[in-house]
């Protein structure tokens, strides 16, 4: 199931939405109340949807609220009260994983609000006085009045591994509602309000001990608030620092119903069982294990037709098997460690050096000088060359060789690959970390994760992406993650008592690419890409694609996702 909720405005738009909902499986139990030329639809069978209707105002909440006192009432009734008190600003200040829909019958108003990070997706389209929106692309693409013309620029950017969600989609007419925003429709006129404004600033005066305590208390609250109203305590567990810290936090909150869920891999580079076993044995908790799900060609084709878009990258879809296994154990909700990289390690060496120079951090610069004197080559690779690259914005990152030069120009790739993070604080490393939010990178990742979870019938939440934790940690000293030559020094210090020693001392990260090669490197699939619509459209550089395939055949991890995008985009274009 991917459909959760949708809306429509305008006589033809409402009729076509009601017709589309009537064709859905009876098991979804879709409600479609209508008021004049406005309609709201939702799947009553969806366990995460709450609805409240007092006759005048209908509220549908898809997801969970994390910072609202419920006073013993459901989320939808709570929003109904806020709407009566605040009007179109009802979602302002709310945190959670949600889409909120309000139908105000007396005012003939339709309102849709999205959570600050974009954990829950929302797509929307407007044409000739007609409006529609939905939690999934396929619902909108199926409406007969919606223009489904391809957006070539976005397709080429998808091919080039530009990971952003900033409003545009692969369809020219369909857009996304920005995270932390509300779309208001009054008498056919649409406007967008900003509900959440990020309070991101430098916190360079915070001492180490205070930062450690801050990280501990913030994760405690981020986990605790996500347990309210959810099912039994469940957490993904890879054996990395992020997911292991979440599991340790759940143990500390005395959740005796805790179960960990993990993917198990057979390959030597992807297998992390030594670390996940250490967590399971340390806390003596039950674990549900599943192999990664790799769809075959027929399954990928069916998924592409169903989703009306390319299948998400394999490092998302591989979790489908785990979702299914956890559902069989009665675990529809869960937590993940997603976002730990952003909070504790998302600054490049070059931006950190540039920040140290700008902030005149003498101790840091002296340490780099000593390292350069002792091991000049190592210092050149780790610090000096990345700093020079950071200070050379005219150069930027190399354009992907598998994209033809003419296509890259049409998609504005040279500018995108030279783009610097927006200036928010003026400290390069902190602004680089913040750019994961401001660039739309996090929203794109979350939309794909939500799609995979919805397909399987499970939903995960991500404590390290709690806005309160983000605003309190992203501005800390960007050199702390490498303190003591550990790339996650602050995280280890904050959560050491929540980690088994084997995980706390870990320096490595798994490489999952070896899991993807059997599906991606089939001769028939590669031949299809070389002779298909990517070439006909003038997007794919055949020599560059051959080089990409050669890198994949050598097992280079950086080739996995680009190659999967070539395959998935080719397949989608063939099904259109």
């Amino acid at each position: 199931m991917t459909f959760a909720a949708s809306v429509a405005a305008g006589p033809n738009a409402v009729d076509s939405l009601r017709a589309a909902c009537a064709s859905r499986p009876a098991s979804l139990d879709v409600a479609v109340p209508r008021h004049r030329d406005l309609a709201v639809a939702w799947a009553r069978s969806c366990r995460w949807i709450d609805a409240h209707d007092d006759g005048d105002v209908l509220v549908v909440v898809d997801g969970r609220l994390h910072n609202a006192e419920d006073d013993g009432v459901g989320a939808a009734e709570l929003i109904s009260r806020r709407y009566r008190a605040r009007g179109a600003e009802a979602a302002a200040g709310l945190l959670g994983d949600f889409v909120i829909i309000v139908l105000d019958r007396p005012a003939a108003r339709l309102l849709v609000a999205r959570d600050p990070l974009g954990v829950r997706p929302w797509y929307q389209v407007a044409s000739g006085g007609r409006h529609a929106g939905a939690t999934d692309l396929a619902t909108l693409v199926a409406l007969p009045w919606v223009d489904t013309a391809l957006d070539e620029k976005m397709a080429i950017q998808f091919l080039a591994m530009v990971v952003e969600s900033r409003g545009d989609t692969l369809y020219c007419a369909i857009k996304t509602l920005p995270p932390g925003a509300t779309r208001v429709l009054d008498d056919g006129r649409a406007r967008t309000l900003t509900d959440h404004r990020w309070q991101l600033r430098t916190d360079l005066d915070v001492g180490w001990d205070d930062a450690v305590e801050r990280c501990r208390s913030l994760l405690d609250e981020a986990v605790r608030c996500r347990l309210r109203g959810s099912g039994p305590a469940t957490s993904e567990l890879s054996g990395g620092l992020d997911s292991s810290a979440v599991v340790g936090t759940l143990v500390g909150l005395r959740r005796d119903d805790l179960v960990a869920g993990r993917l198990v891999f057979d390959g030597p580079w992807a297998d992390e069982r030594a670390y996940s076993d250490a967590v399971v044995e340390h806390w003596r908790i039950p674990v549900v294990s599943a192999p990664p799900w790799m769809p075959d060609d027929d399954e990928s084709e069916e998924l592409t037709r169903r989703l009306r878009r390319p299948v998400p990258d394999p490092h998302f879809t591989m979790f489908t098997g785990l979702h299914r296994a956890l559902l069989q154990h009665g675990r529809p909700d869960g937590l993940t460690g997603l976002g730990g990289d952003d909070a504790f390690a998302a600054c490049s060496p070059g931006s950190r050096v540039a920040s140290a120079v700008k902030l005149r951090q003498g101790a840091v610069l002296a340490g780099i000088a000593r390292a350069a004197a002792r091991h000049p080559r190592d210092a050149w690779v780790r610090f000096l060359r990345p700093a020079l690259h950071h200070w050379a914005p005219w150069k930027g990152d190399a354009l992907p060789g598998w994209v033809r030069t003419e296509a890259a120009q049409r998609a504005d790739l040279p500018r995108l690959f030279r783009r610097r993070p927006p200036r928010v604080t003026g400290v390069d490393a902190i602004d680089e970390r913040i750019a994961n939010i401001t660039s739309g990178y996090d929203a794109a990742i979350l939309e794909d994760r939500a799609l995979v979870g919805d397909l399987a019938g499970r939903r995960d939440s991500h404590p390290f992406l709690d806005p309160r934790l983000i605003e309190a940690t992203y501005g800390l000293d960007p050199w702390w993650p490498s303190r003591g030559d550990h790339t996650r020094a602050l995280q280890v210090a904050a959560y050491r008592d929540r980690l088994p020693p084997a995980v706390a001392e870990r320096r490595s990260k798994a490489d999952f690419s070896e899991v993807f090669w059997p599906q991606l490197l089939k001769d028939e699939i590669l031949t299809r890409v070389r002779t298909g619509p990517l070439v006909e459209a003038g997007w794919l550089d055949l020599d560059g694609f051959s080089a990409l395939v050669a890198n994949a055949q050598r097992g280079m991890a950086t080739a996995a996702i680009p190659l999967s995008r070539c395959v998935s985009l080719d397949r989608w274009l063939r099904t259109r």
Side-chain angles (χ1 to χ4, degrees), residues 347-422:
C347 304
S348 68
S351 69
R352 291 206 302 268
V353 173
S355 299
V357 172
K358 183 175 294 186
L359 296 171
R360 299 180 181 179
Q361 292 179 302
V364 171
L365 297 174
I368 295 174
R370 288 192 297 271
R374 290 195 304 268
H375 306 288
R377 182 176 179 80
D378 182 62
W380 166 253
V381 172
R382 292 178 58 196
F383 302 118
L384 303 180
R385 185 171 63 186
L388 291 174
H389 180 79
H390 178 82
W391 280 316
W394 60 87
K395 181 178 180 181
D397 295 327
L399 296 179
W402 60 93
V403 178
R404 292 190 63 184
T405 302
E406 299 84 354
Q409 294 288 343
R410 295 200 301 274
D412 203 22
L413 295 186
R415 181 189 66 83
L416 292 176
F417 278 68
R418 289 196 305 267
R419 184 178 52 186
R420 304 295 295 274

Side-chain angles (χ1 to χ4, degrees), residues 141-438:
V141 175
L143 298 177
W145 59 270
V146 172
D147 181 2
T148 59
L150 172 73
D151 188 327
E152 183 193 51
K153 180 177 178 179
M154 293 302 296
I156 297 171
Q157 289 182 12
F158 177 90
L159 183 66
M161 289 293 298
V162 176
V163 182
E164 294 181 352
S165 177
R166 296 171 61 88
D168 293 329
T169 72
L170 290 166
Y171 295 94
C172 291
I174 301 177
K175 310 296 180 182
T176 59
L177 178 65
T182 292
R183 180 82 160 175
V184 184
L185 192 63
D186 286 311
D187 295 324
R189 295 187 300 273
R191 56 194 171 103
T192 301
L193 309 177
T194 299
D195 296 323
H196 184 86
R197 298 185 186 277
W198 289 99
Q199 303 299 316
L200 298 164
R201 56 180 66 89
T202 58
D203 273 333
L204 300 175
D205 294 332
V206 175
W208 176 266
D209 292 341
D210 289 340
V212 165
E213 184 53 39
R214 176 185 293 190
C215 292
R216 291 175 62 84
S217 61
L218 286 166
L219 184 60
D220 285 344
E221 178 54 29
V223 170
R224 187 182 294 111
C225 73
R226 282 162 172 76
L227 295 175
R228 291 196 294 265
S230 68
T234 310
S235 180
E236 285 181 9
L237 175 63
S238 68
L241 285 170
D242 306 325
S243 61
S244 300
V246 172
V247 169
T249 301
L250 286 165
V251 172
L253 294 176
R254 302 186 183 281
R255 289 302 299 251
D256 297 333
D257 56 350
L258 172 60
V259 166
R262 66 177 179 181
L263 288 175
V264 291
F265 302 89
D266 292 329
W269 302 109
D271 189 4
E272 296 187 283
R273 271 174 285 191
Y275 299 105
S276 59
D277 281 345
V279 175
V280 169
E281 293 166 5
H282 184 78
W283 298 120
R284 298 180 181 178
I285 57 174
V287 61
V288 173
S289 301
W293 183 67
M294 294 290 116
D296 61 29
D297 211 29
D298 290 340
E299 290 171 320
S300 296
E301 183 108 1
E302 191 276 330
L303 260 182
T304 301
R305 294 182 185 279
R306 181 178 171 188
L307 298 177
R308 310 294 288 267
R309 53 151 283 175
V311 173
D313 298 334
H315 61 298
F316 296 119
T317 58
M318 69 179 183
F319 282 95
T320 301
L322 180 58
H323 286 315
R324 293 170 178 170
L326 287 168
L327 274 176
Q328 290 175 356
H329 285 78
R331 303 278 166 163
D333 303 278
L335 302 181
T336 80
L338 185 68
D341 281 348
D342 297 34
F344 296 104
C347 304
S348 68
S351 69
R352 291 206 302 268
V353 173
S355 299
V357 172
K358 183 175 294 186
L359 296 171
R360 299 180 181 179
Q361 292 179 302
V364 171
L365 297 174
I368 295 174
R370 288 192 297 271
R374 290 195 304 268
H375 306 288
R377 182 176 179 80
D378 182 62
W380 166 253
V381 172
R382 292 178 58 196
F383 302 118
L384 303 180
R385 185 171 63 186
L388 291 174
H389 180 79
H390 178 82
W391 280 316
W394 60 87
K395 181 178 180 181
D397 295 327
L399 296 179
W402 60 93
V403 178
R404 292 190 63 184
T405 302
E406 299 84 354
Q409 294 288 343
R410 295 200 301 274
D412 203 22
L413 295 186
R415 181 189 66 83
L416 292 176
F417 278 68
R418 289 196 305 267
R419 184 178 52 186
R420 304 295 295 274
R423 182 183 175 91
V424 178
T425 67
V427 178
D428 297 41
I430 294 176
D431 287 346
E432 186 177 87
R433 175 179 286 154
I434 292 170
N436 283 340
I437 299 172
T438 58

Side-chain angles (χ1 to χ4, degrees), residues 14 21 39 47 60-61 83 85 144 154 225 249 285 339 361 370 386 447:
V14 168
C21 290
R47 71 175 74 240
V60 176
V61 177
Y83 177 75
M154 293 302 296
C225 73
T249 301
I285 57 174
Q361 292 179 302
R370 288 192 297 271
E447 286 165 5

